[in-house]
Amino acid sequence: MATSSYGRLIKEGLWSNNQALVALLGLCPLLAVTNTAVNGLGLGLATLVVLTLSNATISIIRNWVRPEVRLPVFVLIIASFVTAVELSMMAWFYELYRILGIFIPLIVTNCTIIGRAEAFASKNPLGRSLVDGLAMGLGFTLVLTALGAMREIIGLGTLFSQADLMFGEVAAGLYMSLGEDFKGMLLAILPPGAFIGLGFMIALKNLIDKQLSRARKAVAVATTHPAPAAGGTA
Amino acid sequence: MRFLTITSPHSARPNSVTVTMLWVIVALLPGAVAMTWYFGWGIAIHMLLASITAVVAEGLVLKLRRRPALPAIQDLSAVVTALLFAIAIPPLLPWWLTLLGTAFAIIVAKHLYGGIGYNPFNPAMVGYVLLLISYPVEMTTWLPPIMLNQTPLDFAQTLHAIFTGSLPPGLSWDGITMATPLDEMRNQLNHNRMISEIRQSPLWGDFGGLGWEWVGNWYLLGGAILLYKRIISWHIPVSMLGAVLVMAMLFHFLDQESHPFGLFHIFSGGTLLGAFFIATDPVTASTTHRGQLIYGACIGLITYVIRRWGGYPDAVAFAVLLMNMAVPMIDYYTQPRVFGQQSSSNE
């Protein structure tokens, strides 16, 4: 694991060790804010920034921080970055900041960030920690946005509503709607919808993994003799 | 379950799930026919629609799970789910909502948890609650009972209303629909009117709403059939109805003008249907007799609490789902003592 290439790091962050779909970390913001695609994207990007910066910083100081005090130091660093992100959002994306509300400061308690700091950044050099932070953050953002989009389409019949809050007036053209007559399923944008939606996303990921490993096994069987060993890890 | 001692020859009953489900359907018939009589063809149409959807969904999902579909469809459990769902929903509900609710009940609430015998939540009630939370307006648009209905729709008009959402000329949705008695009572009480004043409206019968209370009586008959055939035991219905009655009477005697008489709660909404047909679902209910008493009483309690202080007029579905969650714990703490076991080692 420690000697794996950057490509492997990116693949782990986006897919095989995705923090939301495999590690199931950071579920509180994941479930709470993903009622629209833009909210999910906004929180995802904020988390991405914090995760990348904290991973990089912790990797730099990893040799000077004594193990006994590492967790408080990590939390301190993460909290500083979260505060910085919060203040920047207040300055430049005030409307989005108001919608996301308490969940921006709560990024500091997101287990993904402290988890990556402890499990990866405190043991790896700067470059790899930076890539790991980016990949994990991106994987988290993608899940948040996909879940947000799914819930928004089913619950409200729209997609990327309020995109202008984030990307300016240009993005207003992203807005899509299924029409005024569409009667949204309110449950999807309520908390149960988040749990059910995430459950279906995890099921879909497991299904794809299963198909891939089966296809790989079939290839292996075709090329060599049938091997009794199991395929890839879960 | 009690095993009767009978003389030989002992012959095993054939597939007992099918027989049980068949009897549930038979017991449900009086109530269903009464509903159709009082509220029009919509109920019957939805029953058919929901049954077809349920069987198709069951077949599809079993095919997906690579299980033999025919035995599972023949056990009629999907049809029972569909029928229970269909008599809980308003008679003029748009057709696609019935499809959605039934499909969700069968696919998500039943088969994603492992199919018949494994589902922790009552599928029919999951489908109903899904729709109630997602589409509150459509799900509370009820028709008045036949004797109060000035413009009853005939079969073709009902079919038209369900499938296209349009009414015959001259009628409007606001004009033909009416709140359920529970809803009505709640609204009037929220306007600070007294019970004696509210009950002067022609809407009310002896205990509950006009017409509604008779539907309740037919469910009671159905429940008696199930009890007689030993398909359900008395514990859950008695404890559930008892809890509702005790709570309602307690508050009624504390303040007679703002809490309706106890029997109003028994004969309104889904209380009787829930007590005999929904809470007694053998898969999702508690399995020990002591546990069933606790389970039923808690359902009654929660039903009353939500009706009185909660945000929804009726609460049987919520109460059943909430207690479904508690069933594993109830079963754990009410395991009967094995014969010969020291009672001191028991809790």
Side-chain angles (χ1 to χ4, degrees):
Chain A
M1 185 110 159
T3 53
S4 56
S5 63
Y6 286 123
R8 171 112 185 245
L9 283 182
I10 292 171
K11 189 186 164 223
E12 277 194 359
L14 293 185
W15 186 260
S16 59
N17 193 18
N18 187 304
Q19 295 297 290
L21 291 183
V22 179
L24 295 180
L25 291 177
L27 286 191
C28 166
L30 178 84
L31 297 171
V33 299
T34 53
N35 44 12
T36 67
V38 170
N39 286 357
L41 187 60
L43 190 87
L45 288 179
T47 311
L48 169 72
V49 170
V50 173
L51 186 57
T52 312
L53 293 176
S54 73
N55 254 16
T57 316
I58 286 163
S59 170
I60 293 171
I61 62 162
R62 72 184 190 279
N63 293 328
W64 293 305
V65 178
R66 294 185 58 83
E68 296 87 354
V69 295
R70 67 185 195 284
L71 283 180
V73 172
F74 293 171
V75 171
L76 217 59
I77 292 168
I78 295 167
S80 334
F81 283 123
V82 170
T83 313
V85 165
E86 188 191 358
L87 291 174
S88 330
M89 282 190 80
M90 232 192 266
W92 289 301
F93 303 111
Y94 186 62
E95 290 297 318
L96 189 67
Y97 169 77
R98 282 187 40 185
I99 294 172
L100 295 179
I102 185 71
F103 290 100
I104 297 296
L106 276 183
I107 292 177
V108 77
T109 63
N110 190 327
C111 305
T112 305
I113 297 172
I114 190 93
R116 291 325 288 172
E118 168 74 9
F120 196 90
S122 64
K123 296 171 189 141
N124 284 285
L126 174 63
R128 292 169 50 77
S129 299
L130 205 65
V131 172
D132 179 75
L134 268 172
M136 290 290 169
L138 204 62
F140 191 67
T141 309
L142 286 178
V143 173
L144 247 72
T145 315
L147 186 59
M150 193 163 88
R151 291 174 67 190
E152 190 180 349
I153 292 173
I154 299 174
L156 299 169
T158 63
L159 189 58
F160 295 115
S161 66
Q162 297 177 314
D164 49 319
L165 294 185
M166 211 161 137
F167 304 112
E169 287 306 314
V170 196
L174 272 176
Y175 175 79
M176 278 173 263
S177 170
L178 292 176
E180 291 295 307
D181 287 340
F182 182 80
K183 286 180 180 150
M185 198 162 114
L186 209 55
L187 189 86
I189 50 172
L190 293 173
F195 282 100
I196 298 171
L198 183 67
F200 277 118
M201 281 181 74
I202 294 172
L204 184 70
K205 184 195 176 285
N206 290 346
L207 181 73
I208 294 173
D209 277 346
K210 211 172 174 181
Q211 299 286 352
L212 284 179
S213 87
R214 193 176 294 155
R216 214 174 296 138
K217 219 177 277 174
V219 171
V221 168
T223 48
T224 62
H225 62 282
T233 52
Chain B
M1 171 153 297
R2 182 183 299 177
F3 293 97
L4 292 174
T5 319
I6 29 176
T7 55
S8 55
H10 302 288
S11 61
R13 278 193 283 184
N15 188 354
S16 70
V17 177
T18 309
V19 174
T20 307
M21 293 298 167
L22 207 58
W23 273 109
V24 174
I25 294 174
V26 168
L28 205 52
L29 272 181
V33 171
M35 287 284 276
T36 310
W37 169 259
Y38 284 115
F39 298 102
W41 286 104
I43 303 281
I45 295 171
H46 277 302
M47 286 173 114
L48 189 67
L49 200 58
S51 302
I52 295 171
T53 314
V55 170
V56 170
E58 177 111 351
L60 272 179
V61 94
L62 284 167
K63 199 169 154 56
L64 216 66
R65 295 178 64 198
R66 299 197 183 84
R67 300 275 179 99
L70 209 57
I73 289 173
Q74 276 172 344
D75 74 18
L76 294 176
S77 62
V79 177
V80 168
T81 299
L83 293 181
L84 288 173
F85 172 82
I87 51 179
I89 58 177
L92 290 186
L93 195 75
W95 62 275
W96 55 277
L97 283 179
T98 307
L99 251 61
L100 181 70
T102 320
F104 193 86
I106 296 292
I107 294 172
V108 176
K110 186 176 173 190
H111 277 289
L112 288 194
Y113 288 98
I116 184 169
Y118 294 96
N119 48 309
F121 297 105
N122 188 319
M125 290 301 102
V126 171
Y128 176 78
V129 164
L130 170 87
L131 293 190
L132 186 62
I133 291 177
S134 298
Y135 303 94
V137 177
E138 286 85 352
M139 286 298 283
T140 46
T141 309
W142 270 87
L143 289 178
I146 187 89
M147 46 283 221
L148 296 174
N149 199 344
Q150 310 292 332
T151 52
L153 302 179
D154 63 23
F155 183 76
Q157 286 167 332
T158 311
L159 210 59
H160 203 248
I162 289 173
F163 280 94
T164 64
S166 60
L167 291 169
L171 293 179
S172 70
W173 282 102
D174 287 342
I176 65 160
T177 59
M178 199 177 81
T180 63
L182 275 172
D183 218 354
E184 177 70 14
M185 181 61 87
R186 185 190 178 81
N187 286 337
Q188 299 282 351
L189 285 173
N190 284 344
H191 287 100
N192 292 325
R193 299 187 60 192
M194 294 190 296
I195 301 264
S196 51
E197 197 182 347
I198 298 169
R199 286 195 65 104
Q200 278 164 11
S201 130
L203 228 67
W204 305 101
D206 296 324
F207 302 121
L210 203 59
W212 288 85
E213 52 186 17
W214 276 99
V215 175
N217 280 335
W218 291 111
Y219 288 142
L220 203 58
L221 177 73
I225 298 175
L226 290 183
L227 281 173
Y228 176 74
K229 296 300 294 182
R230 294 181 193 282
I231 285 166
I232 59 174
S233 69
W234 56 269
H235 301 77
I236 292 174
V238 166
S239 60
M240 177 181 161
L241 295 175
V244 171
L245 204 60
V246 166
M247 285 296 282
M249 290 311 262
L250 183 72
F251 282 93
H252 175 71
F253 285 124
L254 286 177
D255 182 0
Q256 299 208 356
E257 287 301 343
S258 55
H259 297 94
F261 191 65
L263 286 175
F264 169 82
H265 279 285
I266 300 285
F267 283 98
S268 298
T271 319
L272 283 165
L273 176 69
F276 288 106
F277 291 93
I278 292 166
T280 52
D281 172 18
V283 177
T284 58
S286 177
T287 47
T288 64
H289 283 328
R290 248 186 332 143
Q292 287 175 343
L293 288 175
I294 299 170
Y295 170 79
C298 288
I299 291 179
L301 191 76
I302 297 174
T303 302
Y304 185 80
V305 167
I306 298 181
R307 278 185 185 177
R308 174 66 186 80
W309 293 285
Y312 286 91
D314 200 2
V316 174
F318 292 114
V320 168
L321 291 182
L322 284 171
M323 287 313 294
N324 282 166
M325 254 189 283
V327 159
M329 195 180 75
I330 296 176
D331 278 355
Y332 179 82
Y333 283 108
T334 57
Q335 273 179 24
R337 195 164 58 91
V338 176
F339 181 71
Q341 188 188 10
Q342 292 291 320
S343 58
S344 57
S345 67
N346 218 3
E347 286 197 359

